[in-house]
Amino acid sequence: DSGVTQTPKHLITATGQRVTLRCSPRSGDLSVYWYQQSLDQGLQFLIQYYNGEERAKGNILERFSAQQFPDLHSELNLSSLELGDSALYFCASSVVLAGRAGELFFGEGSRLTVL
Amino acid sequence: KNQVEQSPQSLIILEGKNCTLQCNYTVSPFSNLRWYKQDTGRGPVSLTIMTFSENTKSNGRYTATLDADTKQSSLHITASQLSDSASYICVVSAAGGGSQGNLIFGKGTKLSVKP
């Protein structure tokens, strides 16, 4: 158990819909990362937050947005869903920013299926 | 451009045999290099983290090496077990800011261990 909790574990929805994925980082970790992993593909970095502030952005679509709340949990919002958005979405947390990422702990992912 | 390349893409070995996975990187400035194991459909789990000054690090039957001069790393698995079947991901952390949240991911090597 990494200590990172992601909900829901599985989600099936239709094209055009909007979903919210939730991540609770490990206790004490201030940094949260979101990654997308399509079938048999590598992990694609989406966005990073540190203590409530956006710190880095990857290839995140404009239809996607995220935020980190004062209690440090984070949410990834996916809207106007397309078939190609079907993937595993991972959240990871780490404790150190300061120019380098500390030990990264991943959640078990949220599997999104868009029909 | 910061990149991490892994080889081979996939590998099949017999149970009990050893294998070595390769990782070449062009990341600057370098902070550390990590190897993760990702079981199918699960979140990645850290195996080792090595800084610039570390040449070798072991975690049970997993031994990672780092040559910072040639910017190469390898992950050696000894006496493979069926449970070693997974994807192995090399991740290099860049010091300072970066567009990927300081972490550059390789695409992974998919290892299959057959009885």
Side-chain angles (χ1 to χ4, degrees):
Chain A
D1 183 5
S2 67
V4 178
T5 304
Q6 289 188 248
T7 58
K9 284 186 169 45
H10 301 275
L11 192 55
I12 301 174
T13 188
T15 55
Q17 295 299 304
R18 172 190 172 95
V19 298
T20 297
L21 309 181
R22 181 188 169 103
C23 170
S24 294
R26 284 190 340 139
S27 177
D29 285 359
L30 299 180
S31 195
V32 169
Y33 302 75
W34 285 98
Y35 295 90
Q36 179 192 56
Q37 187 174 39
S38 302
L39 188 64
D40 292 333
Q41 298 297 309
L43 287 151
Q44 297 297 317
F45 170 67
L46 295 178
I47 198 163
Q48 178 199 3
Y49 281 85
Y50 177 77
N51 202 19
E53 291 187 4
E54 180 185 306
R55 281 307 177 108
K57 219 168 187 176
N59 295 323
I60 187 168
L61 299 171
E62 285 191 12
R63 299 183 287 108
F64 296 0
S65 65
Q67 56 184 324
Q68 187 179 27
F69 295 87
D71 67 352
L72 299 177
H73 92 271
S74 178
E75 293 182 355
L76 179 67
N77 301 296
L78 315 175
S79 61
S80 302
L81 285 168
E82 302 175 0
L83 296 178
D85 297 328
S86 296
L88 265 169
Y89 291 85
F90 286 104
C91 167
S93 73
S94 71
V95 65
V96 176
L97 182 64
R100 71 177 81 179
E103 178 80 43
L104 210 61
F105 295 89
F106 284 83
E108 287 302 318
S110 292
R111 180 176 294 281
L112 173 65
T113 302
V114 182
L115 300 176
Chain B
K1 182 182 176 183
N2 288 334
Q3 282 187 316
V4 175
E5 294 188 359
Q6 293 187 242
S7 61
Q9 250 186 331
S10 61
L11 184 62
I12 300 174
I13 62 173
L14 292 176
E15 186 179 11
K17 297 297 185 182
N18 303 336
C19 68
T20 300
L21 314 180
Q22 300 290 340
C23 173
N24 295 336
Y25 62 92
T26 54
V27 176
S28 183
F30 173 87
S31 178
N32 57 59
L33 184 145
R34 308 136 186 255
W35 283 94
Y36 288 86
K37 177 187 179 189
Q38 185 181 23
D39 293 320
T40 301
R42 305 292 299 274
V45 174
S46 179
L47 294 175
T48 64
I49 298 180
M50 288 185 293
T51 60
F52 183 89
S53 59
E54 294 174 297
N55 299 119
T56 304
K57 204 155 197 181
S58 292
N59 179 356
R61 294 178 298 100
Y62 300 101
T63 300
T65 64
L66 173 65
D67 185 334
D69 291 331
T70 61
K71 298 188 177 181
Q72 295 180 325
S73 175
S74 64
L75 180 69
H76 186 75
I77 304 175
T78 304
S80 61
Q81 301 176 359
L82 298 179
S83 59
D84 292 330
S85 294
S87 285
Y88 292 84
I89 305 169
C90 176
V91 183
V92 180
S93 175
S99 62
Q100 297 191 46
N102 306 73
L103 297 168
I104 297 89
F105 281 69
K107 294 187 187 301
T109 292
K110 190 168 185 176
L111 174 66
S112 297
V113 181
K114 304 294 186 185

